[in-house]
Amino acid sequence: MICALASAVCFGTASVLQAVAARAAARPGSDAGVDPALLLRALRQWRYVAGLGLDGLGFVFQVIALRSLPIYAVGAALAASLAVTAVVAARLLDVRLTGTEWGAVGVVVAGLGMLGLASGSEGHLTGSDALRWSMLGIACGVLLVGAAAGRLPERPRALVLGLGAGCGFGVVEVAVRLIDDVTPAALLANPATYALLLGGGSAFLLLTSALQRGSVTTATAGMVLGETIGPALVGVVWLGDETRDGLGWLAVTGFAVAVAGALALARFGEAPVDRAADPA
């Protein structure tokens, strides 16, 4: 759980830096759902590069956590990165948190505490080839959904981008568990390897586009749902994730509480507003 929380800290802090950079890199008047050139422009911003460095470190912690914890526990901890984003934004960017939002941070912490007490070890099942190919298919679908999102009106576009990004990150969570042999030959032959790369890349592209569009709060809420519920079900149903004896109810409660608290903090997907991006 320590590694999962460390991953949340890295991802939450990176979100603050990347949101500033994505908005600074946005072209005035652009309203397409996904702008591939945006990622290239954002890479010229030092904040975005620093955020990517934190994302890489967070991914290492995430992989370690997924090797010892059920997916539902790691997914809830990653959703809690919004609480980290809120706290970092309050400290570094002078963003004001209301009493309700501070309460939501406390709710997230309480939910993670319940999960820490109730979660068992990771499931013992390695997953079938059908599941590996399914993850690759979902990763391809995420990319197609992002390409189609530009034709939608603003509100549903934000939700679709967020859900797409969340599903992409969810594919990464599951794919890590489906890779049991890391020798070069085995990695090249495993569909989960390509699902991890494509899902993660597609999710970053969709999330970067969402960060500089309107209704980022809606997009962030969709991302939280996409990266928690689906992967958690896959872990329980197909990979054998379990809870400690007699504590299944506590795990379910903790998961729901942590995700609900994260959804209450969804506006911090866009915490760094234009003031933070001001060159002055």
Side-chain angles (χ1 to χ4, degrees):
M1 183 59 81
I2 292 176
C3 287
L5 294 177
S7 180
V9 170
C10 290
F11 288 144
T13 305
S15 294
V16 177
L17 299 174
Q18 289 169 336
V20 173
R23 288 177 177 239
R27 288 177 176 172
S30 173
D31 61 356
V34 175
D35 179 8
L38 170 65
L39 187 57
L40 298 178
R41 295 195 301 271
L43 286 171
R44 300 173 186 171
Q45 305 280 331
W46 71 265
R47 293 180 183 87
Y48 197 85
V49 175
L52 287 179
L54 285 173
D55 281 331
L57 182 59
F59 178 70
V60 173
F61 285 127
Q62 178 186 0
V63 170
I64 296 173
L66 285 168
R67 291 298 183 180
S68 58
L69 287 175
I71 292 177
Y72 64 79
V74 178
L78 295 182
S81 64
L82 285 174
V84 177
T85 299
V87 174
V88 171
R91 288 298 187 94
L92 300 184
L93 299 174
D94 219 12
V95 175
R96 291 183 176 273
L97 272 69
T98 65
T100 300
E101 288 166 341
W102 278 116
V105 172
V107 165
V108 169
V109 173
L112 291 177
M114 295 181 205
L115 276 173
L117 291 174
S119 61
S121 59
E122 64 167 336
H124 60 281
L125 303 179
T126 58
S128 64
D129 287 339
L131 182 58
R132 292 180 175 85
W133 284 106
S134 296
M135 290 299 105
L136 181 56
I138 293 173
C140 293
V142 168
L143 193 59
L144 294 176
V145 165
R151 301 184 178 89
L152 299 175
E154 180 178 319
R155 186 177 296 274
R157 180 176 65 214
L159 181 60
V160 169
L161 285 172
L163 282 172
C167 289
F169 290 130
V171 166
V172 172
E173 294 174 27
V174 176
V176 168
R177 288 279 297 276
L178 296 176
I179 298 174
D180 51 2
D181 187 345
V182 294
T183 60
L187 287 175
L188 291 174
N190 191 342
T193 303
Y194 305 101
L196 188 152
L197 296 174
L198 183 58
S202 301
F204 267 115
L205 179 59
L206 268 63
L207 182 59
T208 301
S209 297
L211 285 173
Q212 58 89 39
R213 303 286 187 248
S215 302
V216 178
T217 299
T218 302
T220 304
M223 183 185 71
V224 169
L225 294 175
E227 72 178 348
T228 54
I229 296 177
L233 290 175
V234 171
V236 171
V237 176
W238 284 288
L239 297 177
D241 287 346
E242 298 178 348
T243 64
R244 294 183 181 178
D245 291 341
L247 293 181
W249 65 271
L250 185 61
V252 173
T253 302
F255 180 86
V257 167
V259 172
L263 290 174
L265 294 168
R267 81 174 180 95
F268 287 96
E270 56 177 344
V273 292
D274 292 340
R275 174 185 172 187
D278 191 338

